[in-house]
Amino acid sequence: MGLYENAHEAMSWLTSKVPSQPEVALILGSGLGALADELTDRVVLDYKDIPHFPVSGVEGHAGKLVCGNLAGRYVVVMQGRVHYYEGWTPEEVTFPVRVLGLWGIRNILITNAAGGINPDFMPGDLMMIHDHINLMGYNPLRGENDERFGTRFPDMSDAYHHEMRALIVRAARELNLPLKTGVYIGVPGPSYESPAEIRAFATMGADAVGMSTVPETIVANHMGMRVAGISCISNLAAGISKHKLDHEEVKATADLVRETFSSLVRKFVELLDTP
Ligand code: HPA
């Protein structure tokens, strides 16, 4: 079976388990999944039970799809995602977004932990993603285009939709939360970058670096969804930081910002102008 048929099967399975169609999808990155516990009237589904869904082995990624009410709206939360560096294909990495799109979800907030390149950034900062640079080494739309998903050459000039960006800014302002803005550069990983790479990325205009989000954003745009993006700056990128990088620091920072991150996302959901 093809990608469309598989995504359709997963979507049909979800509609049989979940009482109503969510208004917005949230993908929660490394260590940021706790927000899913705040949903009320929850339906919790294991990725492993959803037809064709990829299941991650990375620590800090729960692998659950949680539907429920948050800030007065019915939402679907992806607690964890799979990454290209685990060996999944680009099609598999973006499969969940295909399913959410087929489900009719028009709004998606994609979050991640990222290394700070911009010298003004500190671990613990939250960055609204303004735009991205695709340095993953692939494009998830490569191959024959299925018009049922979208057009062959989708536009990316507003990949992080201007209305969604404005909403994140407004949410932060209403909460009195400091918010950074910047360009996210997506790399394949899993090794962290070299200091020379980080200097190169800075010259290219990147403010933060991470190993996810870009493929999901491309696919969501392909399907006509409005994308919002937030990075949790979990560490300073290589060479900017004085010490070596490790995943423990990424998780520890995500833990520290859990409350502010959750309040920003909650407010964003509350302010969302769903059609
Ligand atoms: N580099 C790449 N990915 C990351 C980083 C980083 O410094 N921090 C969190 N994810």
PDB file of all heavy atoms in Angstrom, residues 47-80:
ATOM      1  N   TYR A  47       1.582   5.063  20.257  1.00  0.00           N
ATOM      2  CA  TYR A  47       1.959   5.056  18.840  1.00  0.00           C
ATOM      3  C   TYR A  47       1.982   3.625  18.290  1.00  0.00           C
ATOM      4  O   TYR A  47       1.644   3.378  17.141  1.00  0.00           O
ATOM      5  CB  TYR A  47       3.349   5.676  18.632  1.00  0.00           C
ATOM      6  CG  TYR A  47       3.460   7.173  18.836  1.00  0.00           C
ATOM      7  CD1 TYR A  47       4.704   7.798  18.843  1.00  0.00           C
ATOM      8  CD2 TYR A  47       2.334   7.968  19.017  1.00  0.00           C
ATOM      9  CE1 TYR A  47       4.833   9.159  19.019  1.00  0.00           C
ATOM     10  CE2 TYR A  47       2.449   9.336  19.204  1.00  0.00           C
ATOM     11  CZ  TYR A  47       3.699   9.929  19.206  1.00  0.00           C
ATOM     12  OH  TYR A  47       3.839  11.283  19.385  1.00  0.00           O
ATOM     13  N   LYS A  48       2.413   2.693  19.152  1.00  0.00           N
ATOM     14  CA  LYS A  48       2.587   1.320  18.647  1.00  0.00           C
ATOM     15  C   LYS A  48       1.258   0.689  18.240  1.00  0.00           C
ATOM     16  O   LYS A  48       1.241  -0.299  17.503  1.00  0.00           O
ATOM     17  CB  LYS A  48       3.340   0.454  19.661  1.00  0.00           C
ATOM     18  CG  LYS A  48       2.616   0.182  20.954  1.00  0.00           C
ATOM     19  CD  LYS A  48       3.439  -0.813  21.780  1.00  0.00           C
ATOM     20  CE  LYS A  48       2.943  -0.938  23.213  1.00  0.00           C
ATOM     21  NZ  LYS A  48       1.503  -0.991  23.409  1.00  0.00           N
ATOM     22  N   ASP A  49       0.144   1.244  18.723  1.00  0.00           N
ATOM     23  CA  ASP A  49      -1.170   0.688  18.366  1.00  0.00           C
ATOM     24  C   ASP A  49      -1.770   1.348  17.126  1.00  0.00           C
ATOM     25  O   ASP A  49      -2.766   0.878  16.585  1.00  0.00           O
ATOM     26  CB  ASP A  49      -2.145   0.853  19.539  1.00  0.00           C
ATOM     27  CG  ASP A  49      -1.684   0.075  20.759  1.00  0.00           C
ATOM     28  OD1 ASP A  49      -1.064  -0.998  20.563  1.00  0.00           O
ATOM     29  OD2 ASP A  49      -1.913   0.540  21.888  1.00  0.00           O
ATOM     30  N   ILE A  50      -1.203   2.486  16.710  1.00  0.00           N
ATOM     31  CA  ILE A  50      -1.757   3.210  15.563  1.00  0.00           C
ATOM     32  C   ILE A  50      -1.182   2.603  14.280  1.00  0.00           C
ATOM     33  O   ILE A  50       0.047   2.482  14.155  1.00  0.00           O
ATOM     34  CB  ILE A  50      -1.414   4.723  15.640  1.00  0.00           C
ATOM     35  CG1 ILE A  50      -1.809   5.309  17.008  1.00  0.00           C
ATOM     36  CG2 ILE A  50      -2.090   5.491  14.504  1.00  0.00           C
ATOM     37  CD1 ILE A  50      -1.380   6.751  17.226  1.00  0.00           C
ATOM     38  N   PRO A  51      -2.027   2.208  13.344  1.00  0.00           N
ATOM     39  CA  PRO A  51      -1.511   1.564  12.130  1.00  0.00           C
ATOM     40  C   PRO A  51      -0.408   2.391  11.458  1.00  0.00           C
ATOM     41  O   PRO A  51      -0.573   3.603  11.271  1.00  0.00           O
ATOM     42  CB  PRO A  51      -2.746   1.478  11.220  1.00  0.00           C
ATOM     43  CG  PRO A  51      -3.912   1.501  12.148  1.00  0.00           C
ATOM     44  CD  PRO A  51      -3.496   2.325  13.326  1.00  0.00           C
ATOM     45  N   HIS A  52       0.714   1.739  11.176  1.00  0.00           N
ATOM     46  CA  HIS A  52       1.843   2.311  10.418  1.00  0.00           C
ATOM     47  C   HIS A  52       2.599   3.422  11.143  1.00  0.00           C
ATOM     48  O   HIS A  52       3.514   4.013  10.573  1.00  0.00           O
ATOM     49  CB  HIS A  52       1.390   2.842   9.045  1.00  0.00           C
ATOM     50  CG  HIS A  52       0.503   1.898   8.305  1.00  0.00           C
ATOM     51  ND1 HIS A  52       0.955   0.709   7.800  1.00  0.00           N
ATOM     52  CD2 HIS A  52      -0.824   1.968   8.012  1.00  0.00           C
ATOM     53  CE1 HIS A  52      -0.047   0.071   7.204  1.00  0.00           C
ATOM     54  NE2 HIS A  52      -1.141   0.814   7.329  1.00  0.00           N
ATOM     55  N   PHE A  53       2.238   3.736  12.378  1.00  0.00           N
ATOM     56  CA  PHE A  53       2.912   4.839  13.085  1.00  0.00           C
ATOM     57  C   PHE A  53       4.326   4.428  13.496  1.00  0.00           C
ATOM     58  O   PHE A  53       4.527   3.331  14.012  1.00  0.00           O
ATOM     59  CB  PHE A  53       2.116   5.214  14.346  1.00  0.00           C
ATOM     60  CG  PHE A  53       1.716   6.651  14.419  1.00  0.00           C
ATOM     61  CD1 PHE A  53       0.854   7.184  13.473  1.00  0.00           C
ATOM     62  CD2 PHE A  53       2.176   7.484  15.443  1.00  0.00           C
ATOM     63  CE1 PHE A  53       0.454   8.517  13.534  1.00  0.00           C
ATOM     64  CE2 PHE A  53       1.791   8.815  15.509  1.00  0.00           C
ATOM     65  CZ  PHE A  53       0.926   9.328  14.556  1.00  0.00           C
ATOM     66  N   PRO A  54       5.331   5.285  13.295  1.00  0.00           N
ATOM     67  CA  PRO A  54       6.689   4.963  13.743  1.00  0.00           C
ATOM     68  C   PRO A  54       6.820   5.196  15.257  1.00  0.00           C
ATOM     69  O   PRO A  54       6.238   6.122  15.794  1.00  0.00           O
ATOM     70  CB  PRO A  54       7.550   5.960  12.968  1.00  0.00           C
ATOM     71  CG  PRO A  54       6.647   7.127  12.713  1.00  0.00           C
ATOM     72  CD  PRO A  54       5.243   6.596  12.627  1.00  0.00           C
ATOM     73  N   VAL A  55       7.578   4.323  15.908  1.00  0.00           N
ATOM     74  CA  VAL A  55       7.740   4.400  17.369  1.00  0.00           C
ATOM     75  C   VAL A  55       9.205   4.650  17.708  1.00  0.00           C
ATOM     76  O   VAL A  55      10.076   3.882  17.305  1.00  0.00           O
ATOM     77  CB  VAL A  55       7.262   3.088  18.046  1.00  0.00           C
ATOM     78  CG1 VAL A  55       7.407   3.184  19.553  1.00  0.00           C
ATOM     79  CG2 VAL A  55       5.825   2.772  17.655  1.00  0.00           C
ATOM     80  N   SER A  56       9.455   5.734  18.463  1.00  0.00           N
ATOM     81  CA  SER A  56      10.827   6.142  18.777  1.00  0.00           C
ATOM     82  C   SER A  56      11.410   5.385  19.954  1.00  0.00           C
ATOM     83  O   SER A  56      10.697   5.000  20.878  1.00  0.00           O
ATOM     84  CB  SER A  56      10.839   7.633  19.121  1.00  0.00           C
ATOM     85  OG  SER A  56      12.092   7.996  19.639  1.00  0.00           O
ATOM     86  N   GLY A  57      12.725   5.214  19.912  1.00  0.00           N
ATOM     87  CA  GLY A  57      13.409   4.621  21.052  1.00  0.00           C
ATOM     88  C   GLY A  57      14.139   5.660  21.891  1.00  0.00           C
ATOM     89  O   GLY A  57      14.771   5.320  22.883  1.00  0.00           O
ATOM     90  N   VAL A  58      14.049   6.939  21.525  1.00  0.00           N
ATOM     91  CA  VAL A  58      14.852   7.964  22.212  1.00  0.00           C
ATOM     92  C   VAL A  58      14.271   8.289  23.579  1.00  0.00           C
ATOM     93  O   VAL A  58      13.071   8.492  23.722  1.00  0.00           O
ATOM     94  CB  VAL A  58      14.926   9.262  21.384  1.00  0.00           C
ATOM     95  CG1 VAL A  58      15.719  10.340  22.119  1.00  0.00           C
ATOM     96  CG2 VAL A  58      15.583   8.992  20.047  1.00  0.00           C
ATOM     97  N   GLU A  59      15.154   8.331  24.553  1.00  0.00           N
ATOM     98  CA  GLU A  59      14.772   8.689  25.910  1.00  0.00           C
ATOM     99  C   GLU A  59      14.172  10.102  25.936  1.00  0.00           C
ATOM    100  O   GLU A  59      14.665  10.999  25.251  1.00  0.00           O
ATOM    101  CB  GLU A  59      16.054   8.719  26.747  1.00  0.00           C
ATOM    102  CG  GLU A  59      15.966   7.961  28.039  1.00  0.00           C
ATOM    103  CD  GLU A  59      17.209   8.230  28.850  1.00  0.00           C
ATOM    104  OE1 GLU A  59      18.310   7.949  28.313  1.00  0.00           O
ATOM    105  OE2 GLU A  59      17.079   8.747  29.944  1.00  0.00           O
ATOM    106  N   GLY A  60      13.150  10.299  26.732  1.00  0.00           N
ATOM    107  CA  GLY A  60      12.533  11.631  26.803  1.00  0.00           C
ATOM    108  C   GLY A  60      11.409  11.789  25.792  1.00  0.00           C
ATOM    109  O   GLY A  60      10.730  12.800  25.763  1.00  0.00           O
ATOM    110  N   HIS A  61      11.217  10.777  24.939  1.00  0.00           N
ATOM    111  CA  HIS A  61      10.122  10.815  23.969  1.00  0.00           C
ATOM    112  C   HIS A  61       9.155   9.680  24.306  1.00  0.00           C
ATOM    113  O   HIS A  61       9.489   8.506  24.169  1.00  0.00           O
ATOM    114  CB  HIS A  61      10.658  10.620  22.544  1.00  0.00           C
ATOM    115  CG  HIS A  61      11.300  11.849  21.996  1.00  0.00           C
ATOM    116  ND1 HIS A  61      10.660  12.707  21.144  1.00  0.00           N
ATOM    117  CD2 HIS A  61      12.521  12.380  22.201  1.00  0.00           C
ATOM    118  CE1 HIS A  61      11.471  13.704  20.836  1.00  0.00           C
ATOM    119  NE2 HIS A  61      12.609  13.533  21.464  1.00  0.00           N
ATOM    120  N   ALA A  62       7.946  10.067  24.742  1.00  0.00           N
ATOM    121  CA  ALA A  62       7.048   9.072  25.315  1.00  0.00           C
ATOM    122  C   ALA A  62       6.399   8.155  24.271  1.00  0.00           C
ATOM    123  O   ALA A  62       6.116   6.999  24.554  1.00  0.00           O
ATOM    124  CB  ALA A  62       5.980   9.777  26.135  1.00  0.00           C
ATOM    125  N   GLY A  63       6.126   8.673  23.078  1.00  0.00           N
ATOM    126  CA  GLY A  63       5.469   7.824  22.083  1.00  0.00           C
ATOM    127  C   GLY A  63       3.993   7.639  22.322  1.00  0.00           C
ATOM    128  O   GLY A  63       3.466   6.540  22.157  1.00  0.00           O
ATOM    129  N   LYS A  64       3.331   8.715  22.743  1.00  0.00           N
ATOM    130  CA  LYS A  64       1.880   8.658  22.948  1.00  0.00           C
ATOM    131  C   LYS A  64       1.184   9.796  22.226  1.00  0.00           C
ATOM    132  O   LYS A  64       1.682  10.917  22.177  1.00  0.00           O
ATOM    133  CB  LYS A  64       1.556   8.761  24.446  1.00  0.00           C
ATOM    134  CG  LYS A  64       1.931   7.535  25.242  1.00  0.00           C
ATOM    135  CD  LYS A  64       1.385   7.661  26.646  1.00  0.00           C
ATOM    136  CE  LYS A  64       1.959   6.651  27.617  1.00  0.00           C
ATOM    137  NZ  LYS A  64       2.137   5.304  27.129  1.00  0.00           N
ATOM    138  N   LEU A  65       0.001   9.478  21.711  1.00  0.00           N
ATOM    139  CA  LEU A  65      -0.861  10.485  21.126  1.00  0.00           C
ATOM    140  C   LEU A  65      -1.968  10.731  22.144  1.00  0.00           C
ATOM    141  O   LEU A  65      -2.679   9.801  22.522  1.00  0.00           O
ATOM    142  CB  LEU A  65      -1.444   9.965  19.811  1.00  0.00           C
ATOM    143  CG  LEU A  65      -2.020  11.030  18.903  1.00  0.00           C
ATOM    144  CD1 LEU A  65      -0.885  11.606  18.053  1.00  0.00           C
ATOM    145  CD2 LEU A  65      -3.066  10.433  17.974  1.00  0.00           C
ATOM    146  N   VAL A  66      -2.069  11.967  22.600  1.00  0.00           N
ATOM    147  CA  VAL A  66      -3.046  12.286  23.645  1.00  0.00           C
ATOM    148  C   VAL A  66      -4.034  13.308  23.106  1.00  0.00           C
ATOM    149  O   VAL A  66      -3.629  14.378  22.634  1.00  0.00           O
ATOM    150  CB  VAL A  66      -2.339  12.840  24.904  1.00  0.00           C
ATOM    151  CG1 VAL A  66      -3.346  13.056  26.036  1.00  0.00           C
ATOM    152  CG2 VAL A  66      -1.226  11.905  25.363  1.00  0.00           C
ATOM    153  N   CYS A  67      -5.317  12.976  23.158  1.00  0.00           N
ATOM    154  CA  CYS A  67      -6.362  13.917  22.737  1.00  0.00           C
ATOM    155  C   CYS A  67      -7.125  14.363  23.973  1.00  0.00           C
ATOM    156  O   CYS A  67      -7.311  13.582  24.913  1.00  0.00           O
ATOM    157  CB  CYS A  67      -7.331  13.263  21.761  1.00  0.00           C
ATOM    158  SG  CYS A  67      -6.546  12.710  20.250  1.00  0.00           S
ATOM    159  N   GLY A  68      -7.567  15.598  23.977  1.00  0.00           N
ATOM    160  CA  GLY A  68      -8.328  16.077  25.131  1.00  0.00           C
ATOM    161  C   GLY A  68      -8.489  17.580  25.072  1.00  0.00           C
ATOM    162  O   GLY A  68      -8.106  18.224  24.085  1.00  0.00           O
ATOM    163  N   ASN A  69      -9.060  18.126  26.146  1.00  0.00           N
ATOM    164  CA  ASN A  69      -9.316  19.569  26.200  1.00  0.00           C
ATOM    165  C   ASN A  69      -8.155  20.295  26.845  1.00  0.00           C
ATOM    166  O   ASN A  69      -7.638  19.870  27.880  1.00  0.00           O
ATOM    167  CB  ASN A  69     -10.599  19.841  26.983  1.00  0.00           C
ATOM    168  CG  ASN A  69     -11.813  19.349  26.223  1.00  0.00           C
ATOM    169  OD1 ASN A  69     -12.053  19.772  25.096  1.00  0.00           O
ATOM    170  ND2 ASN A  69     -12.547  18.425  26.817  1.00  0.00           N
ATOM    171  N   LEU A  70      -7.776  21.399  26.222  1.00  0.00           N
ATOM    172  CA  LEU A  70      -6.736  22.272  26.770  1.00  0.00           C
ATOM    173  C   LEU A  70      -7.159  23.698  26.470  1.00  0.00           C
ATOM    174  O   LEU A  70      -7.435  24.037  25.310  1.00  0.00           O
ATOM    175  CB  LEU A  70      -5.384  21.968  26.120  1.00  0.00           C
ATOM    176  CG  LEU A  70      -4.198  22.810  26.611  1.00  0.00           C
ATOM    177  CD1 LEU A  70      -3.755  22.374  28.003  1.00  0.00           C
ATOM    178  CD2 LEU A  70      -3.020  22.712  25.651  1.00  0.00           C
ATOM    179  N   ALA A  71      -7.233  24.510  27.508  1.00  0.00           N
ATOM    180  CA  ALA A  71      -7.567  25.935  27.345  1.00  0.00           C
ATOM    181  C   ALA A  71      -8.828  26.119  26.492  1.00  0.00           C
ATOM    182  O   ALA A  71      -8.882  26.995  25.639  1.00  0.00           O
ATOM    183  CB  ALA A  71      -6.382  26.690  26.733  1.00  0.00           C
ATOM    184  N   GLY A  72      -9.801  25.266  26.722  1.00  0.00           N
ATOM    185  CA  GLY A  72     -11.092  25.437  26.055  1.00  0.00           C
ATOM    186  C   GLY A  72     -11.172  24.908  24.636  1.00  0.00           C
ATOM    187  O   GLY A  72     -12.162  25.140  23.950  1.00  0.00           O
ATOM    188  N   ARG A  73     -10.132  24.214  24.198  1.00  0.00           N
ATOM    189  CA  ARG A  73     -10.187  23.660  22.846  1.00  0.00           C
ATOM    190  C   ARG A  73      -9.854  22.173  22.864  1.00  0.00           C
ATOM    191  O   ARG A  73      -9.107  21.703  23.727  1.00  0.00           O
ATOM    192  CB  ARG A  73      -9.184  24.357  21.931  1.00  0.00           C
ATOM    193  CG  ARG A  73      -9.500  25.795  21.727  1.00  0.00           C
ATOM    194  CD  ARG A  73      -8.658  26.395  20.631  1.00  0.00           C
ATOM    195  NE  ARG A  73      -8.866  27.825  20.632  1.00  0.00           N
ATOM    196  CZ  ARG A  73      -9.949  28.422  20.165  1.00  0.00           C
ATOM    197  NH1 ARG A  73     -10.903  27.722  19.629  1.00  0.00           N
ATOM    198  NH2 ARG A  73     -10.051  29.740  20.225  1.00  0.00           N
ATOM    199  N   TYR A  74     -10.389  21.463  21.872  1.00  0.00           N
ATOM    200  CA  TYR A  74     -10.049  20.049  21.747  1.00  0.00           C
ATOM    201  C   TYR A  74      -8.758  19.938  20.941  1.00  0.00           C
ATOM    202  O   TYR A  74      -8.672  20.433  19.815  1.00  0.00           O
ATOM    203  CB  TYR A  74     -11.193  19.277  21.079  1.00  0.00           C
ATOM    204  CG  TYR A  74     -11.102  17.806  21.391  1.00  0.00           C
ATOM    205  CD1 TYR A  74     -11.286  17.350  22.695  1.00  0.00           C
ATOM    206  CD2 TYR A  74     -10.797  16.877  20.409  1.00  0.00           C
ATOM    207  CE1 TYR A  74     -11.174  16.003  23.005  1.00  0.00           C
ATOM    208  CE2 TYR A  74     -10.679  15.528  20.710  1.00  0.00           C
ATOM    209  CZ  TYR A  74     -10.874  15.098  22.017  1.00  0.00           C
ATOM    210  OH  TYR A  74     -10.757  13.761  22.329  1.00  0.00           O
ATOM    211  N   VAL A  75      -7.747  19.346  21.545  1.00  0.00           N
ATOM    212  CA  VAL A  75      -6.417  19.303  20.919  1.00  0.00           C
ATOM    213  C   VAL A  75      -5.908  17.864  20.820  1.00  0.00           C
ATOM    214  O   VAL A  75      -6.381  16.981  21.532  1.00  0.00           O
ATOM    215  CB  VAL A  75      -5.382  20.148  21.711  1.00  0.00           C
ATOM    216  CG1 VAL A  75      -5.879  21.563  21.943  1.00  0.00           C
ATOM    217  CG2 VAL A  75      -5.031  19.508  23.043  1.00  0.00           C
ATOM    218  N   VAL A  76      -4.981  17.650  19.914  1.00  0.00           N
ATOM    219  CA  VAL A  76      -4.258  16.382  19.871  1.00  0.00           C
ATOM    220  C   VAL A  76      -2.775  16.681  20.090  1.00  0.00           C
ATOM    221  O   VAL A  76      -2.216  17.580  19.457  1.00  0.00           O
ATOM    222  CB  VAL A  76      -4.505  15.599  18.558  1.00  0.00           C
ATOM    223  CG1 VAL A  76      -4.275  16.434  17.324  1.00  0.00           C
ATOM    224  CG2 VAL A  76      -3.635  14.339  18.507  1.00  0.00           C
ATOM    225  N   VAL A  77      -2.185  15.954  21.030  1.00  0.00           N
ATOM    226  CA  VAL A  77      -0.783  16.175  21.370  1.00  0.00           C
ATOM    227  C   VAL A  77       0.028  14.953  20.974  1.00  0.00           C
ATOM    228  O   VAL A  77      -0.319  13.831  21.329  1.00  0.00           O
ATOM    229  CB  VAL A  77      -0.630  16.404  22.896  1.00  0.00           C
ATOM    230  CG1 VAL A  77       0.840  16.516  23.272  1.00  0.00           C
ATOM    231  CG2 VAL A  77      -1.379  17.645  23.331  1.00  0.00           C
ATOM    232  N   MET A  78       1.086  15.192  20.233  1.00  0.00           N
ATOM    233  CA  MET A  78       2.053  14.124  19.990  1.00  0.00           C
ATOM    234  C   MET A  78       3.148  14.261  21.032  1.00  0.00           C
ATOM    235  O   MET A  78       3.918  15.220  21.020  1.00  0.00           O
ATOM    236  CB  MET A  78       2.674  14.269  18.597  1.00  0.00           C
ATOM    237  CG  MET A  78       1.802  13.714  17.484  1.00  0.00           C
ATOM    238  SD  MET A  78       2.673  13.811  15.908  1.00  0.00           S
ATOM    239  CE  MET A  78       4.110  12.761  16.234  1.00  0.00           C
ATOM    240  N   GLN A  79       3.163  13.282  21.935  1.00  0.00           N
ATOM    241  CA  GLN A  79       4.176  13.292  22.993  1.00  0.00           C
ATOM    242  C   GLN A  79       5.358  12.486  22.469  1.00  0.00           C
ATOM    243  O   GLN A  79       5.398  11.270  22.614  1.00  0.00           O
ATOM    244  CB  GLN A  79       3.564  12.638  24.230  1.00  0.00           C
ATOM    245  CG  GLN A  79       3.961  13.249  25.534  1.00  0.00           C
ATOM    246  CD  GLN A  79       3.247  12.574  26.691  1.00  0.00           C
ATOM    247  OE1 GLN A  79       2.619  11.533  26.549  1.00  0.00           O
ATOM    248  NE2 GLN A  79       3.351  13.164  27.863  1.00  0.00           N
ATOM    249  N   GLY A  80       6.265  13.196  21.832  1.00  0.00           N
ATOM    250  CA  GLY A  80       7.422  12.529  21.237  1.00  0.00           C
ATOM    251  C   GLY A  80       7.242  12.313  19.744  1.00  0.00           C
ATOM    252  O   GLY A  80       6.140  12.335  19.219  1.00  0.00           O
TER     253      GLY A  80
END
